Amino acid sequence: MAAAQRPWTSVPRPVCWVLAACLLLQLGWRLAQQHAPAQARPLPAAPPAGVARLASLGEPLAMSKAMLLYLQSFEDQAGVSLPWRELDYDRLAGWLETAQTLDPRSQYALVAAGEVYAGVADPQRARRMLNFVAASFAADPRRRWPAMAQAVLVAKHQLHDLPLALGYARMLRRLATGPHVPPWVREMEAFILEDMDQLDGARLVIGGLLASGQINDPHELAFLARRLDELARKKAQAAP
């Protein structure tokens, strides 16, 4: 066995040079890695709902929560913190949509969209989240009206986009008609119309709510009646 071993001096000189070059390249690459600044990884595209459901092995609710936790932790990467405004919001909406499809009764994805990610200081990205909330609300208004009401407030107070807030409030009045929806949700449209100085429109909305029979609380009815009187008085004062 020992006779089969040859001294290292018998290795051909070109092979020694190649080995030395490889060693130097390896050392250089390691040093470059140590000194290179940490870079954030971009958010990958969300898996399709069918693929995620198959991968959940029969536990779609657990998979939904795992996906949302993955999103929450994505901003903290090795050596770098990724601001929300640098996320690809189309891909972010894809992750939220897939998570919601796996667990449609959960409000988790909607709360994250409307109250967390929509708070970014970028109107375009905030609108992308509000669009996601609006589309989700239309699919299940009985359960998802709280997120839509939050979207109205974000559009009005954060984006200062009254037409957008009015459109969302109008969807609320038309679709959120369940018995557990509080009256103020359906009254948001009238308040925004008043903010836009569309007093006739606000009076029409309040009058329609009173006539529809959807509001039965005596205090709420009295409040709306007072609002009608106030709108009529403002209308008269504004008349030339």
Side-chain angles (χ1 to χ4, degrees):
M1 187 70 179
Q5 295 180 349
R6 295 187 299 173
W8 66 272
T9 53
S10 64
V11 178
R13 189 173 295 274
V15 174
C16 292
W17 284 114
V18 169
L19 291 175
C22 290
L23 179 60
L24 290 174
L25 285 174
Q26 175 71 10
L27 291 173
W29 183 79
R30 296 295 298 178
L31 288 174
Q33 289 293 312
Q34 290 177 0
H35 293 290
Q39 294 186 346
R41 293 178 289 108
L43 183 67
V51 173
R53 189 182 301 277
L54 186 64
S56 73
L57 302 177
E59 296 291 344
L61 305 188
M63 175 62 81
S64 173
K65 289 181 173 55
M67 292 177 69
L68 293 170
L69 289 174
Y70 167 75
L71 279 182
Q72 283 186 344
S73 62
F74 192 81
E75 60 184 281
D76 293 322
Q77 301 182 17
V80 65
S81 179
L82 183 64
W84 291 338
R85 61 176 297 116
E86 294 183 9
L87 288 175
D88 184 325
Y89 264 46
D90 286 333
R91 290 187 172 184
L92 175 62
W95 281 92
L96 294 173
E97 184 174 359
T98 297
Q100 184 173 254
T101 300
L102 295 180
D103 188 3
R105 297 177 65 86
S106 172
Q107 301 282 338
Y108 197 160
L110 291 173
V111 170
E115 299 187 14
V116 180
Y117 295 115
V120 67
D122 182 328
Q124 185 174 355
R125 283 180 166 83
R127 290 174 194 277
R128 182 66 183 89
M129 286 295 99
L130 297 188
N131 288 340
F132 165 73
V133 171
S136 301
F137 163 75
D140 189 358
R142 184 174 61 87
R143 229 188 320 260
R144 297 172 179 169
W145 63 264
M148 193 60 173
Q150 173 67 19
V152 174
L153 297 177
V154 172
K156 178 182 176 182
H157 297 291
Q158 179 182 322
L159 299 178
H160 306 291
D161 188 339
L162 287 179
L164 181 64
L166 178 62
Y168 289 162
R170 188 161 290 161
M171 288 178 64
L172 272 171
R173 178 178 59 81
R174 290 175 175 171
L175 301 179
T177 56
H180 301 296
V181 179
W184 61 264
V185 171
R186 292 187 288 268
E187 296 163 9
M188 296 179 87
E189 181 186 2
F191 299 144
I192 294 174
L193 284 169
E194 186 177 355
D195 290 339
M196 299 172 73
D197 288 329
Q198 297 185 25
L199 302 182
D200 288 337
R203 293 175 64 191
L204 283 174
V205 170
I206 293 177
L209 289 173
L210 290 172
S212 68
Q214 297 180 41
I215 299 176
N216 301 314
D217 183 82
H219 300 289
E220 199 66 29
L221 291 172
F223 169 75
L224 290 179
R226 288 197 301 273
R227 293 300 301 167
L228 273 180
D229 292 340
E230 291 175 10
L231 288 171
R233 187 163 50 253
K234 290 177 68 174
K235 178 72 175 179
Q237 292 174 350

